[in-house]
Amino acid sequence: MMRLGTAPAEKPRKAGLPRHVAIIMDGNGRWARSRGLPRAEGHRRGVQSIRDVVRHATAIGIEWLTVFGFSSENWSRPADEVSELMGLLKLFIRHDLNELTRGNVRVRVIGGRDNLSGDIAALLIEAEQKTAGNTGLNLVIAFNYGSRDEIARATRAIAGEVAAGRLGAEEITVDLVATRLDTAGMPDPDLIIRTSGEQRLSNFLLWQSAYAEFVFVPDYWPDFDGAAFDRAIAEYLGRERRFGGLPQKGEAV
Ligand code: IPE
Ligand code: IPE
Ligand code: MG
């Protein structure tokens, strides 16, 4: 079986599966345009892909799945598209929360909360609280998320603690910074998948992806399914991860 490189501090992984898969769900608009449909229809079909992928990730035993649903830069889209995306998040949580709860899925949300409407903020808290005791798949919804915003918010929090005398500047280490990010307590993503053929991060998990493997797939997000997920994982399994070290003894260099 293919060896997967692991950082010294990381525990070995069952069957080499990535522990944390993060997905930049891109291409809803182009999917719709290629069918002569409004962009909103692409977003609606994209929600179905989320359901399929959550089910599939659960079935194959992925521990953490992060999906990028709305970026801190997506506010610059036309108001009707922004409100469509907000409406879909509400619909998804209202409609799917019971099924997620029954499926033992634990929901977490990363991203800024301050500029969200009260009803959305309340739904996000409800989803997190209602599923907090679940022990199956950890589904992380990145909503109103941007890494630069996340790092700026973490930096403000740390600076506030230093100014208040609760933290010494010399205590600011890589591990300390990680505990102030929205992803505190979560493992870094092992595999980041982006659909639609674009090959960029678009402000997604910049800190956390330091040693992630990237798989870019041509499919638009509404066409992405369990089989496409498996192909991305197969590609990941063929990669050699080094974490700055050297290949293990006996391996080709
Ligand atoms: C991804 O699809 C969903 C969001 C970014 C909210 P897009 O809406 O970006 O679709 P394209 O990239 O325009 O095709
Ligand atoms: C990234 O996609 C954000 C989400 C998938 C939610 P975008 O479509 O917003 O990214 P750019 O603008 O093409 O870089
Ligand atoms: Mg896009």
Side-chain angles (χ1 to χ4, degrees), residues 212-226:
E213 297 293 330
F214 293 88
V215 172
F216 298 103
V217 302
D219 320 61
Y220 295 140
W221 175 247
D223 289 328
F224 193 85
D225 57 11

Side-chain angles (χ1 to χ4, degrees), residues 25-31 39 43 69-70 74 77 81 85:
M25 310 181 292
D26 198 16
N28 292 350
R30 280 164 284 167
W31 180 92
R39 290 179 60 86
H43 295 315
F70 188 86
N74 287 147
R77 296 190 179 196
E81 179 158 345
L85 290 165

Side-chain angles (χ1 to χ4, degrees), residues 90-108:
K90 287 194 252 185
L91 209 70
F92 176 69
I93 293 180
R94 287 193 185 123
H95 183 273
D96 288 51
L97 190 54
N98 281 336
E99 192 185 330
L100 292 169
T101 308
R102 278 197 303 277
N104 201 20
V105 175
R106 181 171 182 184
V107 177
R108 315 232 182 141

Side-chain angles (χ1 to χ4, degrees), residues 75-151:
W75 294 103
S76 65
R77 296 190 179 196
D80 60 342
E81 179 158 345
V82 169
S83 82
E84 174 71 28
L85 290 165
M86 296 293 149
L88 279 176
L89 176 78
K90 287 194 252 185
L91 209 70
F92 176 69
I93 293 180
R94 287 193 185 123
H95 183 273
D96 288 51
L97 190 54
N98 281 336
E99 192 185 330
L100 292 169
T101 308
R102 278 197 303 277
N104 201 20
V105 175
R106 181 171 182 184
V107 177
R108 315 232 182 141
V109 183
I110 58 172
R113 301 283 175 105
D114 289 353
N115 51 342
L116 291 176
S117 68
D119 57 345
I120 288 190
L123 276 172
L124 297 180
I125 290 169
E126 185 190 335
E128 289 182 316
Q129 287 181 347
K130 199 165 169 199
T131 61
N134 286 353
T135 55
L137 176 76
N138 291 282
L139 173 64
V140 183
I141 302 174
F143 196 84
N144 188 29
Y145 176 84
S147 269
R148 289 176 170 182
D149 172 65
E150 175 192 37
I151 292 168

